[in-house]
Amino acid sequence: MAERRAFAQKISRTVAAEVRKQISGQYSGSPQLLKNLNIVGSLSHHATVPLTEAVDPVDLEDYLLTHPVAVDSGPLRGLVDFPPDDIEVVYSPRDCRTLVSAVPEESEMDPHVRDCIRSYTEDWAIVIRKYHKLGTGFNPNTLDKQKERQKGLPKQVFESDEAPDGNSYQDDQDELKRRSMSIDDTPRGSWACSIFDLKNSLPDALLPNLLDRTPNEEIDHQNDDQRKSNRHKELFALHPSLDEEEPIERLSVPDAPKEHFGQRLLVKCLSLKFEIEIEPIFASLALYDAKEKKKISENFYFDLNSEQMKGLLRPHVPPAAITTLARSAIFSITYPSQDVFLVIKLEKVLQQGDIGECAEPYMIFKEADATKNKEKLEKLKSQADQFCQRLGKYRMPFAWTAIHLMNIVSSAGSLERDSTEVEISTGERKGSWSERRNSSIVGRRSLERTTSGDDACNLTSFRPATLTVTNFFKQEGDRLSDEDLYKFLADMRRPSSVLRRLRPITAQLKIDISPAPDNPHYCLTPELLQVKLYPDSRVRPTREILEFPARDVYVPNTTYRNLLYIYPQSLNLANRQGSARNITVKVQFMYGEDPSNAMPVIFGKSSCSEFSKEAYTAVVYHNRSPDFHEEIKVKLPAALTDHHHLLFTFYHVSCQQKQNTPLETPVGYTWIPMLQNGRLKTGQFCLPVSLEKPPQAYSVLSPEVPLPGMKWVDNHKGVFNVEVVAVSSIHTQDPYLDKFFALVNALDEHMFPVRIGDMRIMENNLENELKSSISALNSSQLEPVVRFLHLLLDKLILLVVRPPVIAGQIVNLGQASFEAMASIINRLHKNLEANHDQHGRNSLLASYIHYVFRLPNTYPNSPSPGPGGLGGSVHYATMARSAVRPASLNLNRSRSLSNSNPDISGTPTSPDDEVRSIIGNKGLDRSNSWVNTGGPKAAPWGSNPSPSADSTQAVDRSCNRMSSHTETSSFLQTLTGRLPTKKLFHEELALQWVVCSGSVRESALQQAWFFFELMVKSMVHHLYFNDKLDAPRKSRFPERFMDDISALVSTIASDIISRFQKDTEMVEKLNTSLAFFLNDLLSVMDRGFVFSLIKTYYKQVSSKLYSLPNPSVLLSLRLDFLRIICSHEHYVTLNLPCSLLTPPASPSPSVSSATSQSSGFSTNVQDQKIANMFELSVPFRQQHYLAGLVLTELAVILDPDAEGLFGLHKKVINMVHNLLSSHDSDPRYSDPQIKARVAMLYLPLIGIIMEAVPQLYDFTETHNQRGRPVCIATDDYEGESGSMISQTVAMAIAGTSVPPLTRPGSFLLTSTSGRQHTTFSGESSRSLLICLLWVLKNADETVLQKWFTDLSVLQLNRLLDLLYLCVSCFEYKGKKVFERMNSLTFKKSKDMRAKLEEAILGSIGARQEMVRRSRGQLERSPSGSAFGSQENLRWRKDLTHWRQNTEKFDKSRAEIEHEALIDGNLATEANLIILDTLEIIVQTVSVTESKESILGGVLKVLLHSMACNQSAIYLQHCFATQRALVSKFPELLFEEETEQCADLCLRLLRHCSSSIGSIRSHASASLYLLMRQNFEIGNNFARVKMQVTMSLSSLVGTSQNFNEEFLRRSLKTILTYAEEDLELRETTFPDQVQDLVFNLHMILSDTVKMKEHQEDPEMLIDLMYRIAKGYQTSPDLRLTWLQNMAGKHSERSNHAEAAQCLVHSAALVAEYLSMLEDRKYLPVGCVTFQNISSNVLEESAVSDDVLSPDEEGICSGKYFTESGLVGLLEQAAASFSMAGMYEAVNEVYKVLIPIHEANRDAKKLSTIHGKLQEAFSKIVHQSTGWEFLSCEYYSFFDSSKTSVISFFFFSKRLFPR
């Protein structure tokens, strides 16, 4: 402690500890006293709960019942209890993108489809906590919100901002100089000049009624009213919000589930032109990923043919549906990559000849030569016409090309909205376009990673591009497959592409590519549904193209989609006899075997009907084993049967017209049944082809089955390859999920046996199958699990709530379902990390709970409870009343019927009273829960002293329920027939969780948040459906459920404390989940019960903390826990702010326990209450439970003796700051009465911060290093010594005996290098202090005053120290500082980042950090907190605020202005709060009389605030308070605190020279009243005169930009007051004031002129002389100036003059010494020195007027002593000797010798006589050449001379003596 900071030593650190000792000593042995104090016996066992342990909370529900509200109406009403509409259950319709919702057309659907449709269409079931947004979790003090709250702030005027810059200031000064007459123009006695100047000045405005004698109370009242008017209501709006990373309590509302889209791209096809136009050409577009070798979109078909060309096909094509006329499409790409190509394929009408022949004309004819080749073209046209007539419905492949998408996107650059024209061709001339592009993209923009996708592939913000594709490759008949396509695409990216050598087909295809708009008009979904905003159905639509993502996408289904894509790939009929060369495949979707059973479900391509019954593949001419590249899209019926199948018919098309040959000849058949064992059949097929039509009933069989008597191609080998792909939100396409859903639906429908796969499951085997299918869900693929997540979880929950009845037995699937849910949720968490929020909640699951989950309905077939008609009874499985009810049900045999038991039968909680009474009468222990709890019935929750016993009991009880079973389910049968049991999900969930173990328990813990949130929503729904949301909280849930919750919380708490070191991350999440859970429970359950749960947690953590060497990690978890609970929107109400504290049981020593010193323990209840409100007493902590916990944490962590917790300071302070800030901005608490109640919850904060004073960051230190207008530090002078007065002169001007202007008081510390390491950072200290000010601002003043009355002097002084610190802390920095800081921010952010990284990467461990800190090596980081592991940093994402900082480190002018505005308002408001508090303290003192010693402290704070940079408004109030203080306690200043008087004079004078008129008015008024009061006390005001004079000298000497003109105006104002003061007109007062003012003015003018005449030594000396004369009444100052003059003379070797100055000095000292003590050997004042110079008589003391020298602060310099006198005389003798004036040397020694003789100082005497001998011998030596030489110095003290040249006259004749 050796290095304790200075001010910390001045403050007694022993307070609390000693008082504690003292109290325990006093009361331990006095039973009588204890009896007196123990007012409420029942609480006595609480009396000494230490702060480290939690107290028993108040039973909130009981309390509210037993303490009827004192406030019937008025603003406080809302604080009593939660509002009635606190929780609402809302059914909100989900947004539907399309005009009509996507549902199947069929009316009959199987249960699974029905469930799916319900899941995609039902309303969201949302639980709304109406006021949730007002809790701290949702109500962050964001910048925008701060800005909103800061609107309309007045601009505060500060002198530091007004101060002009150097140049203009200089000009003003010159102007002033010209105006005041120059020194040479006035006569030597510049009194005249001075008075002339002063009389010409204008006074400032006088304050009205200043001189009236108003009673003090009235003045106080007026001051108070003025101070309180126009104040800013919200203090925290002025305080920048804390720089926290995402606060722990922040919970975002998850996004509603919606359909997934990748990045969307709009492609518009504008035109397609060939060199010749002879026939229609058909085009399609699709996206391919060359790297994944996958087609990633369906085809988009478009038709750009002219009407004339379309006309050629009229006979074959039905009228076109508008949906098929689209020419623009929106593609979605989830995983954009560098390998995505847009592939365009062209087809034409089938004609004779292979592709090469047909493409030849397009390659050889040029448009330019049209006239030349007219005949040939005509011939081609007529041929084409014939083919169209005959073969119009068949197509052949023609040409293709590919566009490398990312090149286009990249070269189109980022968002500049003009479109780019890009031409793409593939000729050699152009070189490699793909390559050239590639290089340019890298150059053009640095590649940023997108959310998904590999490289720089951002499709959302490129400039739209128009592409012109000029070259197509002709298709080759043997290379049509996708495999070939991928080879081509890979080849295209190579520089030496094979394709480039091919001869292209020249054409022009124009395409626009742009990012898709957010909601385009006229858009159709892949199912052709109109997307919203479709104003006109006749407009050509844009098609949304379905994406086939390159990799899995994990998004739950939200819309009905049921599509099938068929891809015929290849056929091999080489071994078939007969003609089969031009082959096409006809594809049909059949619902039966008759040819007429084809369904119109095949989507049309372009310019055709919307749906058709068949689709044909393109024909490859003369090829017996063709490849196909078709995509056939089918709308699957929702209800599939075994008869639905795909039928493929193969035809040979004859291209030549021959006699007797039909156009098409069937050459084969094959088929695929759609369902196999009830599951959709998809995938790759290699099918045999039959030569004849399939037989009857073929559709249920597969073609692989050898049917008797059928002929097959190639011996029944597979010759036809086809792929079938389903995109469906009905078919899971996962065997495990299929089986589970099938079994559950079978149960619902009661359809047995169930066919699943090849198995038939009978009812007796169903239970095992069901259980195994539930556990097998783990094996299913993750993607389908996520897609069907909502339905899957719904079904699992249904099984828990409504256990199925199988073979007459109720099968309990609670456990199995719980396990399955736990494992599914864990899988999601592990695999989908990107979807987590900051608390590790997976967004898919969070949105399921928030929007989708609801309590399932009881009746199997009725829809889930929705908004309509929710009668309570519907939601129960009511037992059917049997007509003949058996009289006695033998219930005793049934040991236990659980309503929540995994393996036994049970019955529901039934509302049927009769049934209940039957059951109830039979001695079951709870009528309503049917559970026989093993062992004794648990005591009510509040009273169990040991939480561990509590939890084990609860667990025992649950296990008991678990293990018991029932022999009779038969009697239930008699009651109900069938057993529709209904359990409550939350009860079952709690039970399952409590009893689970092993890996299941581990999974549940990992994702505890999910089960907690599920449970809470279930509870709310249960209350809602049973109309219990308004029911009393104690009766809402059965005790059994509450036991389970207790057990659960208790075991989870023990998990947290046992595993926090091993599984840090998991425990952090578990801890926050538990806290959020309890926060939620506070809204629905018995709140006292929830408090007891919090206590359980606290108790367990506390017991662990004792045993830990380093408790900070666990404590940090507890802070997170508490912070989340306190983020509850009704936190204030939960603390019972309207209740008065019941008197406490005993004086529990607490944080601010030193109150006991002065107040004793008055048994008066009232006093006791007041003390309790300010201490963390047991009653306080019980009644204001959460606030008590918060403040207790604060007190414990800030306790200087707490080991190893300093890392948590910031955290715990932020918690309190955050709470107060949120109360401050909460609209519910804006009324001052309510705010006072809220502030009452935080009164102990004052005591806690008072305890922490020694640890607070010392803001006063920084003041001495800041260039401030008041006092300039040394280094500010040095660089400017040319223009500025030098330091020595400045000190001379100031007069060294007045200390330079520094801050008074206890906070002036010597900065020691080794700080105590518990000092808080600046940031934390500032947060604490703003919290303190908030409480002081909003607390009830009478309460504060009562408490101040109880405080000891020591503590009040501590409080004043605190306020002193606040003044420094919130001092206004000034715009210039903001501008300077602005330029430093950038550097700072880099440093901080480095430091952070260092801390995180571990080069600084917590320990090293501590060591470094305690050695003081860790320089404070700019924000005031040293980062290290102890600050509990979580390194998150990209640490957003660094990024902001680096990107934008230059603030605009307006922002700097705004910052200065806020800072100015904060400084003003903070200081006004301090002023309010000082006023309360002064009132307290007036009441108690005993505290006068406090007033000095009050004054010290006031003076300190005057010394700081303050706004005009504050200073006005401050001066008003100061005037009132002086008028109430005048003797305080003039008799006790004389130092303060000097200080006050200095401050007032300083403000008298302010550039702001209002400040000057108030300062001069204060100064005048000060003189007046001083005069009235003792009929002269010598003290003030002297202090003011000294202050002026100090001020003028040290202030840099001091403006005499302003001070002159203030002096004039003071004169004016004196003239107008009628009361004192008859006294000497006005004259004395005038003298003083003139003298001040004189000094002022002279001092200012001294600065001007630095270079003119004679002038300087003359001015110095005049100034010294002005200080006639201040001996110290005069002495100083005399010495200054002596020094100046010596420098210039004017020894005689120097000697004369020293003689005057000695005379002055002698004068005062003779007044002090009458010693014969001392000179009798200045008379003794007459022989040396007659002018010495000027030094005779003006003793009547000036004060007696024994007064403090007067004549206190080192020279006013005997030795000082000796020293001066010796110096004078030496100077005379050097000047050769030996006679005078003798005269000086004449005065010295008696003193040495009296002291018997032989040594000195011998020296003196030696000197005298020298002197006389010199005289003898010199007088030989002269008549008697006398050297008389004509004193330059004669001020009638105009110049200061000293003359020596040697002739006695000229000047006879």
Side-chain angles (χ1 to χ4, degrees), residues 61-291:
E61 312 304 332
D62 275 357
Y63 187 94
L64 290 177
L65 286 174
T66 52
H67 294 63
V69 189
V71 276
D72 298 330
S73 60
L76 295 178
R77 186 86 191 101
L79 288 185
V80 178
D81 201 350
F82 291 10
D85 59 347
D86 190 37
I87 286 195
E88 297 176 337
V89 176
V90 176
Y91 285 86
S92 85
R94 59 170 82 200
D95 284 340
C96 178
R97 288 184 69 233
T98 50
L99 290 176
V100 292
S101 59
V103 287
E105 290 143 16
E106 298 91 324
S107 49
E108 283 300 303
M109 292 181 271
D110 73 38
H112 174 66
V113 176
R114 207 174 42 237
D115 285 338
C116 289
I117 302 301
R118 187 203 43 126
S119 160
Y120 304 148
T121 52
E122 70 184 353
D123 295 344
W124 300 134
I126 303 172
V127 170
I128 293 182
R129 277 162 65 174
K130 200 164 173 189
Y131 300 89
H132 209 174
K133 295 273 186 285
L134 295 171
T136 48
F138 280 96
N139 194 15
N141 233 338
T142 53
L143 280 175
D144 303 335
K145 206 169 119 193
Q146 283 285 61
K147 289 237 167 74
E148 190 55 41
R149 292 166 67 191
Q150 289 161 354
K151 277 191 178 147
L153 284 177
K155 184 172 187 320
Q156 298 293 349
V157 183
F158 285 88
E159 197 176 348
S160 58
D161 290 345
E162 304 299 310
D165 51 31
N167 309 333
S168 63
Y169 177 72
Q170 206 42 58
D171 303 340
D172 296 350
Q173 288 297 313
D174 297 343
E175 176 58 27
L176 284 171
K177 261 182 242 161
R178 280 197 292 283
R179 285 217 329 252
S180 70
M181 303 163 114
S182 81
I183 195 165
D184 303 321
D185 304 344
T186 46
R188 175 73 182 268
S190 82
W191 272 96
C193 133
S194 172
I195 291 163
F196 176 78
D197 272 358
L198 190 56
K199 289 265 164 77
N200 280 349
S201 299
L202 292 170
D204 287 307
L206 301 186
L207 298 188
N209 310 339
L210 181 75
L211 305 175
D212 301 356
R213 300 274 176 195
T214 321
N216 285 331
E217 291 69 44
E218 201 177 313
I219 291 180
D220 280 352
H221 190 67
Q222 284 171 3
N223 287 349
D224 198 52
D225 285 349
Q226 285 179 332
R227 252 201 335 276
K228 295 281 172 19
S229 63
N230 292 330
R231 290 278 287 274
H232 189 69
K233 297 253 187 330
E234 300 177 15
L235 179 62
F236 281 97
L238 305 173
H239 191 244
S241 49
L242 296 174
D243 180 23
E244 292 187 276
E245 47 186 298
E246 194 70 345
I248 187 88
E249 73 273 18
R250 186 74 40 83
L251 253 197
S252 44
V253 178
D255 294 334
K258 57 172 189 289
E259 200 179 333
H260 164 79
F261 291 107
Q263 300 186 21
R264 282 160 54 102
L265 203 61
L266 175 62
V267 177
K268 289 185 185 166
C269 306
L270 306 176
S271 65
L272 173 62
K273 259 184 76 186
F274 286 87
E275 297 282 346
I276 55 175
E277 185 183 28
I278 52 174
E279 60 190 326
I281 301 285
F282 310 95
S284 69
L285 264 182
L287 292 175
Y288 286 82
D289 187 322
K291 189 171 173 194

Side-chain angles (χ1 to χ4, degrees), residues 1756-1810:
S1756 54
K1758 57 180 181 183
Y1759 290 111
F1760 288 95
T1761 57
E1762 191 176 305
S1763 58
L1765 178 64
V1766 170
L1768 287 169
L1769 289 170
E1770 284 177 345
Q1771 274 183 299
S1775 291
F1776 275 132
S1777 178
M1778 276 147 72
M1781 299 172 66
Y1782 303 116
E1783 270 191 338
V1785 174
N1786 178 35
E1787 291 296 337
V1788 173
Y1789 282 139
K1790 273 184 193 166
V1791 185
L1792 255 178
I1793 288 170
I1795 299 174
H1796 287 317
E1797 284 173 347
N1799 290 330
R1800 312 244 168 111
D1801 194 339
K1803 192 173 176 195
K1804 276 275 165 61
L1805 286 167
S1806 95
T1807 317
I1808 287 177
H1809 287 295

Side-chain angles (χ1 to χ4, degrees), residues 49 121 237 297 513 635 1101 1125 1177 1261 1404 1416 1483 1495 1550 1583 1642 1855:
V49 181
T121 52
S297 79
I513 297 186
K635 181 165 82 172
V1101 172
I1125 285 184
S1177 57
E1261 269 194 329
I1404 303 183
Q1483 284 161 20
L1495 292 172
R1550 156 91 190 86
R1583 161 166 296 289
M1642 175 87 175
F1855 289 95

